[in-house]
Amino acid sequence: MAAHHQGPVTIHPVKTKADTREFVELAYRLNRGDPAWVPPLKGEVFDLLTPGKNPWYEHGKAQFFTARRDGRTVGRISAHIDTLALEQPAEQGMGPGTGNWGLLEAEDEEVARALLVTAEDWLRGQGMTRSLGPLSISIWDEPGLLIEGFDDIPTIMMGHNSPLYRGWIEGAGYNPVKQLLNYGVRVDDGFPSLVNRIVAAGEKNERIRIRKVNKKRFDAEAKLIMGLLNDAWSDNWGFVPLTDSEIAFIGKKLKDIVFEDLIRVAELDGEPVAFMIVLPNINELLIDMEGSLWPFNWARLLWWLRKPKSRTLRVPLMGVATKLQNSRMASTLAFMMIEFIRRDAVRDYGTQFGDIGWVLDDNQGMNAVAGAIEAKVNRVYQIYDKPLA
């Protein structure tokens, strides 16, 4: 990136459609030279930013800003407030007075600093006393700044950013509050014998049933799973409940990349108590699509979705009902879901690797499960905060 240090940096609130386009396009221009950056589909980015499309705006508000110097756009940031996050208990990471920022892209430190100051001023003007980020836009989208694992191409729905951003953010007075871990694991040759013994014992237990989702009843299944998710994650750091309209939105977004054999629901005595969602890594295709499905990428995508071969599968979400957490039953169900999906994935999708994330650094249950299957941390994301005096 060549530094053009002629004129001053000016910051502009995004107001028009043209401003929004400029905000979106900048990320593609600044990251084009990074071989590990996967260009997201532009339609999805516009949907994320647009009230009326993204149901997050039913309980949140955001202001986007671009930075210019010498007539060129050189940076961008979002500042936002989520009323549901403000209602959470403060000891759980969010809570009263906590505003957020995200979607940061900047050509150099001067630009990044000016953008962060602008986002903080906007949050202060909304009565916030603490700035926490980056979140793009909610904790459920892309949380955290990548601080380790820059060489690998991220899997589906994982963020990637310049390694320079960490120093710029910390230099602006931000302190780390939480790390999110992503694990990689080789899956084509099976798991250690301890795990296999637990799975075999579980298969003999008549109280347990591990079933695939039924795509014909997809809306009901999505509702069931997201309801379990809201319960399973309710004590987690940073938790903000998903609303019914957000659950419907996520369901619609995932519908095309959901495969029945890659999503499991665990039932105990006939009651659904745990779930695991696994997605084929569409980034293997997106990496060279430049963010657009036209003119021929649409056909490529549809062809791939008919029967994806996916070397890596990502586990973005799994959860066990709160009442079972930290019990032996919880880990039995987790290992069973992981193993059942692993068998199908290796056989039907040609899968060799699994990616599990994000896992909170203090989530003992999930970190223990990852350890038992010999998964290794391959990416670390960090969330920061700063008091707004």
Side-chain angles (χ1 to χ4, degrees):
M1 285 184 212
H4 298 271
H5 284 298
Q6 291 92 9
V9 176
T10 57
I11 307 288
H12 307 266
V14 168
K15 290 181 176 154
T16 64
K17 275 211 165 105
D19 294 343
T20 305
R21 193 157 35 247
E22 187 183 335
F23 184 94
V24 170
E25 292 288 347
L26 179 72
Y28 296 80
R29 181 167 67 75
L30 286 189
N31 292 294
R32 191 156 281 140
D34 184 338
W37 191 72
V38 180
L41 290 172
K42 283 181 188 164
E44 297 221 335
V45 182
F46 282 111
D47 283 357
L48 177 78
L49 306 181
T50 309
K53 293 268 194 204
N54 180 355
W56 176 87
Y57 289 96
E58 292 165 13
H59 54 87
K61 63 173 158 179
Q63 179 61 59
F64 306 109
F65 299 95
T66 52
R68 290 191 198 129
R69 185 166 48 208
D70 301 330
R72 296 167 62 246
T73 302
V74 291
R76 69 174 206 188
I77 199 167
S78 61
H80 33 98
I81 290 167
D82 184 337
T83 55
L84 292 181
L86 297 176
E87 290 165 10
Q88 299 307 305
E91 63 274 11
Q92 235 178 286
M94 294 292 185
T98 298
N100 307 114
W101 58 270
L103 298 167
L104 175 71
E105 298 286 354
E107 257 184 32
D108 56 51
E109 183 160 12
E110 183 193 12
V111 173
R113 192 68 66 93
L115 287 163
L116 285 164
V117 166
T118 304
E120 289 159 17
D121 285 345
W122 185 85
L123 292 173
R124 232 182 250 113
Q126 302 282 328
M128 298 295 114
T129 53
R130 174 175 175 242
S131 167
L132 179 133
L135 299 180
S136 315
I137 284 178
S138 91
I139 195 90
W140 296 106
D141 294 314
E142 282 181 13
L145 184 82
L146 183 67
I147 59 164
E148 279 171 41
F150 291 97
D151 301 336
D152 298 330
I153 293 167
T155 51
I156 178 170
M157 294 175 174
M158 298 216 89
H160 187 83
N161 50 262
S162 161
L164 296 170
Y165 290 0
R166 179 183 188 173
W168 300 349
I169 289 166
E170 291 175 4
Y174 281 85
N175 290 306
V177 277
K178 187 56 69 184
Q179 287 191 343
L180 307 170
L181 310 177
N182 189 69
Y183 287 92
V185 62
R186 186 97 206 207
V187 296
D188 47 357
D189 49 4
F191 293 134
S193 55
L194 166 71
V195 173
N196 296 332
R197 286 200 299 275
I198 294 171
V199 171
E203 286 177 291
K204 293 192 188 84
N205 185 337
E206 302 196 330
R207 298 174 59 203
I208 298 173
R209 174 175 170 239
I210 309 282
R211 68 172 180 83
K212 300 177 182 183
V213 294
N214 179 350
K215 215 167 168 180
K216 292 193 180 69
R217 300 181 44 246
F218 183 74
D219 295 344
E221 295 279 49
K223 215 170 160 162
L224 168 76
I225 287 173
M226 295 299 163
L228 267 172
L229 177 68
N230 268 341
D231 170 60
W233 287 41
S234 55
D235 296 332
N236 278 3
W237 183 93
F239 174 77
V240 178
L242 284 166
T243 64
D244 289 346
S245 48
E246 283 173 305
I247 289 169
F249 180 69
I250 293 169
K252 204 169 85 201
K253 220 161 85 166
L254 293 184
K255 198 163 192 170
D256 293 331
I257 49 171
V258 158
F259 296 88
E260 295 187 327
D261 48 357
L262 296 181
I263 299 188
R264 293 291 204 280
V265 173
E267 295 175 354
L268 186 63
D269 301 324
E271 181 198 350
V273 289
F275 72 91
M276 179 168 158
I277 295 178
V278 176
L279 300 173
N281 182 24
I282 197 170
N283 283 5
E284 290 169 22
L285 280 189
L286 293 182
I287 189 90
D288 57 1
M289 284 191 181
E290 294 273 312
S292 165
L293 288 174
W294 305 105
F296 303 113
N297 290 336
W298 189 246
R300 273 177 67 199
L301 184 63
L302 289 177
W303 180 251
W304 183 81
L305 286 171
R306 285 177 51 185
K307 198 65 196 162
K309 285 289 175 226
S310 191
R311 221 166 65 95
T312 303
L313 291 176
R314 164 138 191 248
V315 185
L317 295 170
M318 66 184 289
V320 179
T322 320
K323 59 183 179 191
L324 288 176
Q325 280 173 12
N326 302 321
S327 67
R328 278 178 62 182
M329 179 58 77
S331 49
T332 297
L333 297 176
F335 288 132
M336 288 176 77
M337 291 187 293
I338 291 171
E339 171 60 15
F340 288 8
I341 293 177
R342 186 199 72 78
R343 289 173 196 168
D344 287 357
V346 170
R347 187 187 66 224
D348 299 336
Y349 297 82
T351 302
Q352 296 169 300
F353 302 96
D355 232 24
I356 304 169
W358 302 266
V359 181
L360 290 163
D361 54 11
D362 58 2
N363 182 338
Q364 286 162 333
M366 258 324 294
N367 288 309
V369 165
I373 61 173
E374 295 179 353
K376 301 277 179 278
V377 173
N378 61 7
R379 294 171 86 77
V380 179
Y381 293 82
Q382 192 145 275
I383 295 179
Y384 293 88
D385 79 344
K386 175 182 177 177
L388 296 177

